[in-house]
Amino acid sequence: MPEAGGSNIEVARHLIAHKGSLHFVEHEMLEIAEAALLALVAIVTAWSGYQAALWTGQQAVLYGRSGKLRVEAEGAATAANEERLYNASTVVEWLKAETQGQKKLSDLFERRFLPEFRPAFEAWKTTDPLNHPDAPAGPQLMSEYRSSKEEQAVSLSDQASEVFEQGTQARQHSDEYVRVTVTLATVLLLLAISQRFKTRGVRLGLLVVAALLLCFPLYRILTLPRA
């Protein structure tokens, strides 16, 4: 009987040792999983912050370029208005000279027209505006009229609007990466809290919740555009 009792004690000790060894392995596996998750979160957080900073910088560059284009467009529009006023005033003086029969003076004003305005003036002149009241009010209403400065102003203004829209999109991308970073901070908080618990079930549960929550920022990182 003593031998049987001794054998039972040995079996019990073996079972306790085996159980302790199993718990140790499970604890090690849990710590490894937590460490791996922490490393992944750290890498993704760094990448997300890096992308947010790049998009913020790109936003500033695009807004600056848009402002520059807008200033150039305003300059071209001002030059176009000055040319329009010059041509209009020259036409008025030409009309005065024509009505007064001052041929040399009217020829002088014709020579003073800007080169790209001359085709419109010549087309308008063929309508005999002095004798036909139905003729267009001026050369600037003719289909031949064009102003390179006006076209340049419109083109620059369109470019400024397009670049500004690109800057707005860059700001949106930056905000999206910031939101991803905030979500990752929540994951880090859950992992930090889980390590405060000794109960394996609670610790494992928080680890699973953190891993599931990590799926969203990972998906956003993979689908968001990169600067």
Side-chain angles (χ1 to χ4, degrees), residues 30-85:
L30 187 60
E31 287 188 340
I32 291 173
E34 288 175 343
L37 199 60
L38 280 171
L40 180 60
V41 172
I43 294 172
V44 176
T45 301
W47 174 256
S48 179
Y50 173 68
Q51 286 295 316
L54 286 181
W55 280 114
T56 300
Q58 189 167 343
Q59 168 199 341
V61 171
L62 290 171
Y63 279 165
R65 188 184 304 167
S66 175
K68 180 181 178 182
L69 289 171
R70 193 73 67 184
V71 171
E72 292 177 356
E74 291 176 356
T78 300
N81 289 332
E82 291 176 351
E83 288 186 355
R84 180 185 290 270
L85 290 173

Side-chain angles (χ1 to χ4, degrees), residues 20-21 31 33 53 58 79 82 87 93 122 133 162 168-169 181 187 189 197 224:
S21 175
E31 287 188 340
Q58 189 167 343
E82 291 176 351
N87 290 324
E93 296 301 324
E122 294 295 341
E162 182 180 353
T168 301
Q169 292 178 357
T181 304
V187 176
L189 178 62
F197 289 93
L224 284 173

Side-chain angles (χ1 to χ4, degrees), residues 15 47 80 102 106 109 121 128 144 165 170 175 207:
L15 290 174
W47 174 256
Q102 299 177 354
S106 63
F109 284 120
F121 175 78
D128 196 8
E144 290 81 2
E165 180 62 27
D175 292 342
L207 180 62

